[in-house]
Amino acid sequence: MYTRAITPLTLLALFLSSQIFATPLSPHVAQRVITLSPHATELAFSAGLGDKLVGVSQASDYPPEAKDIEQVANYQGIKLERILVLQPDLVIAWKKNANSRELDQLEKFGIPIYYSSIESLDDIPSNLRQLSLWAEDSSVGKNNATKFESILTQLRSQYQNQAKIRYFYQLSQKPMMSVTDPNWPTDIFQICGGENVLTNTKVAYPQVGIEQVIALQPEVIFNSHLATNNDATWQNWPQIPAVKHNFIWSVNPDWLSRPTMRSLKAIKQVCGYFDKARKK
């Protein structure tokens, strides 16, 4: 477990030794940046902050340079003491991060925290432009944001009049879970003309039974990296159109699950699969 008990005296000593803490959410040129999720690491590089990173989350593996940066967080928690020792003047965290108590402590010590909140594809360039305000050269993030928007507009125009394809996205196998609109990454499927068969489900990430999938009759089934070895299981249910036509596909999990510049790659991959289904 990354997060462990830390005494008030230790916290005070670490705080007093720091000379660079700034007012939270007041953009300035950041010199020491820490990211607490893989997508935040990618966004930092795209925003021109890559050379300022002193700490990242364990799963940060893109771009390749991220693998050489000290890891200060994983899915279990964050190394609170180590982060304080590293004296960041900016921490980039996921808005839905489960370590809210530790993040609250960082904020109390005056460490600026940028909460990346991405629900749709349009939020990605918005995040890049905001993060670029912390970079020495803001044009890097702004140019990447403009590039992303340009390609996204092109893809939307290309697929806006395509025939709709009803899909089921299997997020995990045991238990079988999925995701409903408008939660990430459903926006990627929508761009390509995908219609989520779970549109009437209010739970963001519902648990789904095989009987329910059979009743919903999806034309395409997508698997995630957590459910890529169960194609044979689906073959037991040929009454599902996606199974009958063998339209069961896997999308690169990092492209699909991380809202970054590489989401454009996910769109092109998903759209390519939908095009195959339309031809059939």
Side-chain angles (χ1 to χ4, degrees), residues 57-264:
S57 63
Q58 186 180 47
S60 295
D61 55 9
Y62 190 87
E65 306 94 281
K67 298 178 183 179
D68 299 324
I69 303 172
E70 180 179 350
Q71 297 175 357
V72 296
N74 66 11
Y75 72 95
Q76 293 178 307
I78 66 177
K79 294 181 178 178
L80 185 58
E81 278 189 74
R82 184 57 188 161
I83 291 175
L84 289 171
V85 169
L86 289 171
Q87 299 184 8
D89 54 354
L90 176 63
V91 170
I92 305 175
W94 184 33
K95 185 65 175 179
K96 297 180 180 179
N97 195 298
N99 305 296
S100 57
R101 183 175 63 84
E102 289 79 10
L103 294 175
D104 288 343
Q105 285 183 289
L106 292 177
E107 285 189 314
K108 288 178 180 178
F109 280 87
I111 300 177
I113 299 179
Y114 176 85
Y115 287 97
S116 176
S117 179
I118 299 180
E119 298 293 339
S120 71
L121 289 161
D122 292 318
D123 292 331
I124 295 174
S126 175
N127 272 230
L128 288 176
R129 288 195 175 92
Q130 292 167 8
L131 286 171
S132 72
L133 299 176
W134 301 85
E136 290 182 348
D137 183 3
S138 63
S139 68
V140 175
K142 292 177 180 178
N143 289 339
N144 277 328
T146 300
K147 177 182 178 181
F148 186 96
E149 288 173 331
S150 176
I151 297 175
L152 183 61
T153 298
Q154 177 186 345
L155 289 168
R156 279 175 169 156
S157 176
Q158 181 178 349
Y159 286 95
Q160 64 180 352
N161 295 320
Q162 293 293 319
K164 302 298 182 182
I165 301 290
R166 300 179 73 253
Y167 76 92
F168 171 69
Y169 174 46
Q170 184 181 358
L171 185 59
S172 63
Q173 184 174 354
K174 293 182 179 180
M176 186 187 297
M177 298 186 69
S178 187
V179 58
T180 58
D181 303 344
N183 304 286
W184 189 267
T186 58
D187 203 22
I188 289 176
F189 298 107
Q190 289 175 350
I191 289 288
C192 302
E195 287 188 342
N196 194 339
V197 295
L198 295 175
T199 53
N200 295 323
T201 306
K202 295 182 179 181
V203 179
Y205 298 94
Q207 185 171 329
V208 183
I210 188 67
E211 296 82 4
Q212 186 177 359
V213 178
I214 293 173
L216 291 170
Q217 293 284 287
E219 299 170 87
V220 170
I221 294 175
F222 288 103
N223 289 327
S224 75
H225 61 303
L226 298 176
T228 53
N229 297 318
N230 67 334
D231 286 1
T233 301
W234 284 115
Q235 299 310 316
N236 295 325
W237 311 101
Q239 61 269 53
I240 301 175
V243 178
K244 177 182 178 181
H245 297 293
N246 199 29
F247 291 160
I248 304 174
W249 291 301
S250 298
V251 182
N252 184 299
D254 292 340
W255 298 353
L256 186 64
S257 63
R258 301 178 185 179
T260 67
M261 291 286 291
R262 292 196 294 169
S263 295
L264 295 172

